[in-house]
Coordinates of all heavy atoms in Angstrom, one line a residue:
M11 N 58.8 -50.9 94.6 CA 59.3 -51.8 93.6 C 58.8 -53.2 93.9 O 58.8 -53.6 95.1 CB 60.8 -51.7 93.4 CG 61.3 -52.6 92.4 SD 63.1 -52.3 92.2 CE 63.7 -53.9 91.8
T12 N 58.4 -53.9 92.9 CA 58.0 -55.3 93.1 C 59.2 -56.2 92.6 O 59.7 -56.0 91.5 CB 56.8 -55.6 92.3 OG1 55.7 -54.7 92.8 CG2 56.3 -57.0 92.4
T13 N 59.5 -57.2 93.4 CA 60.5 -58.2 93.1 C 59.9 -59.6 93.1 O 59.2 -60.0 94.0 CB 61.7 -58.1 94.1 OG1 62.2 -56.8 94.1 CG2 62.8 -59.1 93.8
I14 N 60.2 -60.3 92.0 CA 59.8 -61.7 91.9 C 61.1 -62.6 92.0 O 62.0 -62.4 91.2 CB 59.2 -62.0 90.5 CG1 57.9 -61.1 90.4 CG2 58.8 -63.5 90.4 CD1 57.3 -61.2 89.0
T15 N 61.1 -63.4 93.0 CA 62.3 -64.3 93.3 C 61.9 -65.7 92.9 O 60.8 -66.2 93.4 CB 62.7 -64.3 94.7 OG1 63.0 -62.9 95.1 CG2 63.9 -65.2 95.0
I16 N 62.6 -66.3 92.0 CA 62.3 -67.7 91.6 C 63.1 -68.6 92.5 O 64.3 -68.8 92.5 CB 62.8 -67.9 90.1 CG1 62.1 -66.9 89.2 CG2 62.5 -69.4 89.7 CD1 62.7 -66.9 87.8
R17 N 62.3 -69.3 93.4 CA 62.9 -70.2 94.4 C 63.4 -71.5 93.7 O 62.6 -72.1 92.9 CB 62.0 -70.5 95.5 CG 61.7 -69.3 96.4 CD 62.4 -69.4 97.7 NE 62.2 -68.3 98.5 CZ 61.3 -68.2 99.5 NH1 60.5 -69.2 99.7 NH2 61.2 -67.2 100.2
D18 N 64.6 -71.9 94.0 CA 65.0 -73.3 93.6 C 64.0 -74.3 94.0 O 63.6 -74.4 95.2 CB 66.4 -73.6 94.1 CG 67.5 -72.8 93.4 OD1 67.2 -72.1 92.4 OD2 68.6 -72.9 93.9
N19 N 63.5 -75.1 93.1 CA 62.6 -76.2 93.4 C 61.3 -75.8 94.1 O 60.8 -76.6 94.9 CB 63.3 -77.3 94.2 CG 64.7 -77.7 93.7 OD1 64.8 -77.8 92.4 ND2 65.7 -77.8 94.5
G20 N 60.9 -74.6 93.9 CA 59.7 -74.1 94.6 C 59.0 -73.0 93.8 O 59.1 -72.9 92.6
P21 N 58.3 -72.1 94.6 CA 57.4 -71.2 93.9 C 58.1 -69.9 93.5 O 59.3 -69.7 93.6 CB 56.5 -70.8 95.1 CG 57.3 -70.9 96.3 CD 58.3 -72.1 96.0
L22 N 57.3 -69.0 92.8 CA 57.7 -67.7 92.5 C 57.3 -66.8 93.7 O 56.1 -66.8 94.1 CB 57.0 -67.2 91.3 CG 57.1 -68.0 90.0 CD1 56.3 -67.4 88.9 CD2 58.6 -68.0 89.6
V23 N 58.2 -66.2 94.4 CA 57.9 -65.4 95.6 C 57.9 -63.9 95.2 O 58.9 -63.5 94.7 CB 58.9 -65.7 96.7 CG1 58.6 -64.8 97.9 CG2 58.8 -67.2 97.1
I24 N 56.8 -63.3 95.4 CA 56.7 -61.9 95.0 C 56.6 -61.0 96.2 O 55.8 -61.2 97.1 CB 55.4 -61.7 94.1 CG1 55.4 -62.7 93.0 CG2 55.2 -60.3 93.6 CD1 54.1 -62.9 92.3
Q25 N 57.4 -60.0 96.2 CA 57.5 -59.0 97.3 C 57.3 -57.6 96.7 O 57.9 -57.2 95.7 CB 58.8 -59.1 98.0 CG 58.9 -58.2 99.2 CD 60.2 -58.5 100.0 OE1 61.2 -59.0 99.4 NE2 60.2 -58.1 101.2
G26 N 56.3 -56.9 97.2 CA 56.0 -55.6 96.8 C 54.6 -55.5 96.4 O 53.8 -56.5 96.5
P27 N 54.1 -54.3 96.0 CA 52.7 -54.1 95.7 C 52.3 -54.9 94.5 O 53.0 -55.0 93.5 CB 52.6 -52.6 95.4 CG 54.0 -52.1 95.3 CD 55.0 -53.1 95.8
L28 N 51.2 -55.6 94.6 CA 50.7 -56.5 93.5 C 49.2 -56.8 93.7 O 48.7 -56.7 94.8 CB 51.5 -57.7 93.3 CG 51.2 -58.9 94.3 CD1 51.3 -60.2 93.7 CD2 52.1 -58.8 95.5
T29 N 48.6 -57.2 92.6 CA 47.3 -57.8 92.7 C 47.4 -59.1 91.8 O 48.2 -59.1 90.9 CB 46.1 -56.9 92.1 OG1 46.5 -56.6 90.8 CG2 45.9 -55.7 93.0
V30 N 46.6 -60.1 92.2 CA 46.6 -61.3 91.4 C 45.1 -61.5 90.9 O 44.2 -61.5 91.7 CB 47.0 -62.6 92.3 CG1 46.9 -63.8 91.4 CG2 48.4 -62.4 92.8
V31 N 44.9 -61.6 89.6 CA 43.6 -61.7 89.0 C 43.5 -63.0 88.2 O 44.6 -63.5 87.7 CB 43.2 -60.5 88.2 CG1 43.2 -59.2 89.0 CG2 44.2 -60.3 87.0
D32 N 42.3 -63.6 88.1 CA 42.1 -64.7 87.2 C 41.9 -64.3 85.8 O 42.0 -63.1 85.5 CB 41.0 -65.6 87.7 CG 39.6 -64.9 87.6 OD1 39.5 -63.9 86.9 OD2 38.7 -65.4 88.3
A33 N 41.7 -65.2 84.9 CA 41.6 -64.9 83.4 C 40.4 -64.0 83.1 O 40.4 -63.4 82.1 CB 41.5 -66.2 82.6
A34 N 39.4 -64.0 84.1 CA 38.2 -63.1 83.9 C 38.4 -61.7 84.5 O 37.5 -60.9 84.4 CB 37.0 -63.8 84.4
G35 N 39.6 -61.5 85.1 CA 39.8 -60.2 85.7 C 39.4 -60.1 87.2 O 39.5 -59.1 87.8
N36 N 38.9 -61.3 87.8 CA 38.5 -61.3 89.2 C 39.7 -61.4 90.1 O 40.6 -62.2 89.8 CB 37.6 -62.4 89.4 CG 36.3 -62.3 88.6 OD1 35.7 -61.3 88.5 ND2 36.0 -63.4 87.9
Q37 N 39.7 -60.6 91.1 CA 40.9 -60.5 92.0 C 40.9 -61.5 93.1 O 39.8 -61.7 93.7 CB 40.9 -59.0 92.6 CG 42.2 -58.7 93.3 CD 42.3 -57.2 93.6 OE1 41.8 -56.4 92.9 NE2 43.0 -56.9 94.7
F38 N 42.0 -62.2 93.3 CA 42.2 -63.0 94.4 C 42.4 -62.2 95.7 O 43.1 -61.2 95.6 CB 43.4 -64.0 94.2 CG 43.1 -65.1 93.2 CD1 43.4 -64.9 91.9 CD2 42.6 -66.3 93.6 CE1 43.2 -65.9 91.0 CE2 42.3 -67.3 92.7 CZ 42.6 -67.1 91.4
S39 N 41.9 -62.7 96.8 CA 42.2 -62.0 98.1 C 43.6 -62.4 98.6 O 43.9 -63.6 98.6 CB 41.1 -62.5 99.1 OG 41.4 -62.0 100.4
I40 N 44.3 -61.4 98.9 CA 45.7 -61.6 99.5 C 45.7 -60.9 100.8 O 45.4 -59.7 100.9 CB 46.7 -61.0 98.5 CG1 46.7 -61.7 97.2 CG2 48.1 -61.1 99.2 CD1 47.6 -61.0 96.2
P41 N 46.1 -61.6 101.9 CA 46.1 -61.0 103.2 C 47.1 -59.8 103.2 O 48.2 -59.9 102.7 CB 46.7 -62.1 104.1 CG 46.4 -63.4 103.4 CD 46.4 -63.0 101.9
T42 N 46.6 -58.7 103.6 CA 47.4 -57.4 103.5 C 48.6 -57.5 104.5 O 49.6 -56.8 104.3 CB 46.6 -56.2 103.8 OG1 45.9 -56.4 105.1 CG2 45.6 -56.0 102.8
E43 N 48.5 -58.3 105.6 CA 49.6 -58.4 106.5 C 50.8 -59.2 106.0 O 51.9 -59.2 106.6 CB 49.2 -58.9 107.9 CG 48.8 -60.4 107.9 CD 47.4 -60.7 107.4 OE1 46.7 -59.8 106.9 OE2 47.0 -61.9 107.5
K44 N 50.6 -60.0 104.9 CA 51.7 -60.8 104.4 C 52.6 -59.9 103.6 O 52.2 -59.3 102.6 CB 51.2 -62.0 103.6 CG 50.4 -63.0 104.4 CD 50.0 -64.1 103.6 CE 51.2 -65.0 103.3 NZ 50.8 -66.3 102.7
P45 N 53.9 -60.0 103.8 CA 54.9 -59.2 103.0 C 55.2 -59.8 101.7 O 55.7 -59.1 100.8 CB 56.1 -59.1 103.9 CG 56.0 -60.4 104.7 CD 54.6 -60.7 104.9
T46 N 54.9 -61.1 101.5 CA 55.2 -61.7 100.2 C 54.0 -62.6 99.8 O 53.2 -63.0 100.6 CB 56.5 -62.6 100.3 OG1 56.2 -63.7 101.3 CG2 57.7 -61.8 100.7
V47 N 54.0 -62.9 98.5 CA 53.0 -63.9 98.0 C 53.8 -64.9 97.2 O 54.7 -64.6 96.5 CB 52.0 -63.2 97.0 CG1 51.2 -64.2 96.3 CG2 51.2 -62.2 97.8
A48 N 53.5 -66.2 97.4 CA 54.1 -67.3 96.7 C 53.2 -67.9 95.7 O 52.1 -68.4 96.1 CB 54.7 -68.4 97.7
L49 N 53.6 -67.9 94.4 CA 52.7 -68.5 93.3 C 53.3 -69.8 92.9 O 54.5 -69.9 92.7 CB 52.7 -67.5 92.1 CG 52.0 -66.2 92.4 CD1 52.1 -65.4 91.1 CD2 50.6 -66.4 92.8
C50 N 52.4 -70.8 92.8 CA 52.9 -72.2 92.5 C 53.4 -72.2 91.0 O 52.8 -71.6 90.1 CB 51.7 -73.1 92.6 SG 52.0 -74.8 92.1
R51 N 54.4 -72.9 90.8 CA 54.9 -73.2 89.5 C 55.1 -74.7 89.2 O 55.6 -75.1 88.2 CB 56.1 -72.4 89.1 CG 57.4 -72.7 89.8 CD 58.5 -71.8 89.3 NE 59.7 -72.0 90.1 CZ 60.8 -72.3 89.5 NH1 60.9 -72.3 88.1 NH2 61.9 -72.5 90.2
C52 N 54.8 -75.5 90.2 CA 54.9 -77.0 90.1 C 53.7 -77.6 89.5 O 53.7 -78.7 89.1 CB 55.4 -77.6 91.4 SG 54.0 -77.8 92.6
G53 N 52.5 -76.9 89.7 CA 51.2 -77.4 89.2 C 50.5 -78.4 90.2 O 49.5 -78.9 89.9
Q54 N 51.1 -78.6 91.4 CA 50.5 -79.5 92.3 C 49.8 -78.9 93.5 O 49.1 -79.6 94.3 CB 51.6 -80.4 92.9 CG 52.3 -81.2 91.8 CD 51.4 -82.1 91.0 OE1 50.6 -82.9 91.6 NE2 51.4 -82.0 89.7
S55 N 49.8 -77.6 93.6 CA 49.1 -76.9 94.7 C 47.6 -77.2 94.7 O 47.0 -77.2 93.7 CB 49.4 -75.4 94.7 OG 48.7 -74.8 95.7
K56 N 47.1 -77.3 95.9 CA 45.6 -77.4 96.0 C 44.9 -76.1 96.2 O 43.7 -76.0 96.3 CB 45.3 -78.4 97.1 CG 45.7 -79.8 96.8 CD 45.6 -80.8 98.0 CE 46.0 -82.2 97.7 NZ 47.4 -82.2 97.2
V57 N 45.7 -75.0 96.3 CA 45.2 -73.7 96.4 C 45.7 -72.8 95.3 O 46.0 -71.6 95.6 CB 45.5 -73.1 97.9 CG1 44.8 -73.9 98.9 CG2 47.0 -73.1 98.1
K58 N 45.8 -73.3 94.1 CA 46.3 -72.5 93.0 C 45.5 -71.2 92.9 O 44.3 -71.2 93.2 CB 46.2 -73.3 91.7 CG 47.1 -74.5 91.6 CD 46.8 -75.2 90.2 CE 47.5 -76.5 90.2 NZ 46.7 -77.6 90.5
P59 N 46.2 -70.2 92.5 CA 47.5 -70.1 92.0 C 48.6 -70.0 93.0 O 49.8 -69.8 92.7 CB 47.5 -68.8 91.2 CG 46.5 -67.9 92.0 CD 45.5 -68.8 92.5
F60 N 48.2 -70.1 94.3 CA 49.2 -69.9 95.4 C 49.9 -71.3 95.7 O 49.4 -72.3 95.6 CB 48.5 -69.3 96.6 CG 47.8 -68.1 96.3 CD1 46.4 -68.0 96.2 CD2 48.5 -66.9 96.1 CE1 45.8 -66.8 95.9 CE2 47.9 -65.7 95.8 CZ 46.5 -65.7 95.7
C61 N 51.1 -71.1 96.2 CA 51.9 -72.3 96.7 C 51.4 -72.8 98.0 O 51.1 -72.0 98.9 CB 53.4 -71.9 96.8 SG 54.4 -73.1 97.5
D62 N 51.2 -74.1 98.2 CA 50.9 -74.7 99.5 C 51.9 -75.6 100.0 O 51.7 -76.4 101.0 CB 49.5 -75.3 99.4 CG 49.5 -76.6 98.6 OD1 50.6 -76.9 97.9 OD2 48.5 -77.3 98.5
G63 N 53.1 -75.6 99.4 CA 54.2 -76.5 99.8 C 54.2 -77.8 99.2 O 55.1 -78.7 99.4
S64 N 53.2 -78.1 98.3 CA 53.1 -79.4 97.6 C 54.3 -79.7 96.7 O 54.6 -80.8 96.4 CB 51.9 -79.5 96.8 OG 50.7 -79.5 97.6
H65 N 55.1 -78.7 96.3 CA 56.2 -78.9 95.5 C 57.3 -79.8 96.2 O 58.0 -80.5 95.5 CB 56.9 -77.5 95.1 CG 57.3 -76.7 96.3 ND1 56.4 -75.8 96.9 CD2 58.4 -76.6 97.0 CE1 57.1 -75.2 97.9 NE2 58.3 -75.7 98.0
K66 N 57.3 -79.8 97.5 CA 58.2 -80.7 98.2 C 57.8 -82.1 98.0 O 58.7 -83.0 97.8 CB 58.2 -80.3 99.7 CG 58.8 -78.9 99.9 CD 58.6 -78.5 101.4 CE 58.9 -77.0 101.6 NZ 58.3 -76.5 102.8
A67 N 56.5 -82.4 98.2 CA 56.1 -83.8 98.1 C 56.2 -84.4 96.7 O 56.4 -85.6 96.5 CB 54.6 -83.9 98.5
C68 N 56.1 -83.5 95.7 CA 56.2 -84.0 94.3 C 57.6 -84.0 93.7 O 57.8 -84.3 92.6 CB 55.2 -83.3 93.4 SG 55.7 -81.6 92.9
S69 N 58.5 -83.6 94.6 CA 59.9 -83.5 94.2 C 60.1 -82.6 92.9 O 60.9 -83.0 92.0 CB 60.5 -84.9 93.9 OG 60.4 -85.7 95.1
F70 N 59.4 -81.5 92.9 CA 59.6 -80.5 91.8 C 61.0 -80.0 91.8 O 61.6 -79.7 92.8 CB 58.6 -79.4 92.0 CG 58.8 -78.3 91.0 CD1 58.4 -78.5 89.7 CD2 59.2 -77.0 91.4 CE1 58.5 -77.5 88.7 CE2 59.3 -76.0 90.4 CZ 59.0 -76.2 89.1
T71 N 61.6 -80.1 90.6 CA 63.0 -79.6 90.4 C 63.1 -78.5 89.4 O 62.5 -78.7 88.3 CB 64.0 -80.7 90.1 OG1 63.6 -81.3 88.9 CG2 64.1 -81.7 91.2
A72 N 63.7 -77.4 89.7 CA 63.9 -76.3 88.8 C 64.9 -75.3 89.5 O 64.7 -75.0 90.7 CB 62.6 -75.6 88.4
A73 N 65.9 -74.9 88.8 CA 66.8 -74.0 89.4 C 67.4 -73.1 88.4 O 68.6 -73.1 88.1 CB 67.9 -74.8 90.1
E74 N 66.5 -72.3 87.8 CA 67.0 -71.4 86.7 C 67.9 -70.3 87.3 O 67.7 -69.9 88.4 CB 65.8 -70.7 86.0 CG 64.8 -71.7 85.4 CD 63.8 -72.3 86.3 OE1 63.8 -72.0 87.5 OE2 63.0 -73.1 85.8
R75 N 68.8 -69.9 86.5 CA 69.7 -68.7 86.8 C 69.6 -67.7 85.7 O 69.6 -68.1 84.5 CB 71.1 -69.2 87.0 CG 71.3 -70.1 88.2 CD 71.1 -69.3 89.5 NE 71.4 -70.2 90.7 CZ 70.4 -70.8 91.3 NH1 69.1 -70.8 90.9 NH2 70.7 -71.5 92.4
A76 N 69.6 -66.4 86.1 CA 69.6 -65.4 85.1 C 71.0 -65.4 84.4 O 72.0 -65.7 85.1 CB 69.3 -64.0 85.8
P77 N 71.1 -65.0 83.1 CA 72.4 -64.9 82.5 C 73.2 -63.9 83.2 O 72.7 -62.9 83.7 CB 72.0 -64.6 81.0 CG 70.6 -64.3 81.0 CD 70.0 -64.7 82.3
A78 N 74.5 -64.1 83.1 CA 75.4 -63.1 83.7 C 75.3 -61.8 82.9 O 75.1 -61.8 81.7 CB 76.8 -63.6 83.7
A79 N 75.4 -60.7 83.6 CA 75.4 -59.4 83.0 C 76.7 -59.2 82.2 O 77.7 -59.7 82.6 CB 75.3 -58.3 84.0
P80 N 76.6 -58.6 81.0 CA 77.8 -58.3 80.3 C 78.8 -57.5 81.0 O 78.4 -56.6 81.8 CB 77.3 -57.7 79.0 CG 75.9 -57.3 79.2 CD 75.4 -58.0 80.4
A81 N 80.0 -57.7 80.8 CA 81.1 -57.0 81.5 C 81.1 -55.5 81.0 O 80.9 -55.3 79.8 CB 82.4 -57.6 81.3
A82 N 81.3 -54.6 81.9 CA 81.4 -53.2 81.5 C 82.7 -53.0 80.7 O 83.7 -53.5 81.1 CB 81.3 -52.3 82.7
S83 N 82.6 -52.1 79.7 CA 83.9 -51.9 78.9 C 84.4 -50.5 79.1 O 83.8 -49.6 79.7 CB 83.6 -52.1 77.4 OG 82.5 -51.4 77.0
Ligands
LIG4 S1 55.4 -74.4 93.8 FE1 54.8 -74.8 95.8 S2 53.0 -76.0 95.6 FE2 53.7 -75.6 93.6

């Protein structure tokens, strides 16, 4: 199973099997030894689409929360 975790004030962290391709379908190289991949969502990374930590310097803020699940009846 693949899980995407939205980090507060940071990247999308993906854990599990995945490939990352550009708009032309070309695949980005992802080190196989890394258990997770972090994708930039602040727009400031110099290694897009991956996060390079630049979100800290640009004071990116975002802290979305999923809606609460409806109560079981
Ligand atoms: S989210 Fe980390 S550099 Fe953009």
Side-chain angles (χ1 to χ4, degrees):
M11 179 170 147
T12 299
T13 301
I14 301 173
T15 302
I16 304 169
R17 290 259 176 93
D18 285 352
N19 310 320
L22 304 175
V23 177
I24 305 166
Q25 184 170 22
L28 77 145
T29 57
V30 180
V31 297
D32 64 19
N36 301 307
Q37 190 169 330
F38 286 91
S39 174
I40 298 174
T42 55
E43 70 277 6
K44 291 184 77 173
T46 62
V47 171
L49 296 179
C50 175
R51 67 181 180 127
C52 75
Q54 300 301 309
S55 175
K56 292 171 182 58
V57 295
K58 293 181 189 95
F60 304 103
C61 171
D62 69 355
S64 294
H65 57 271
K66 296 173 192 159
C68 74
S69 301
F70 177 68
T71 58
E74 298 85 0
R75 293 292 182 267
S83 53

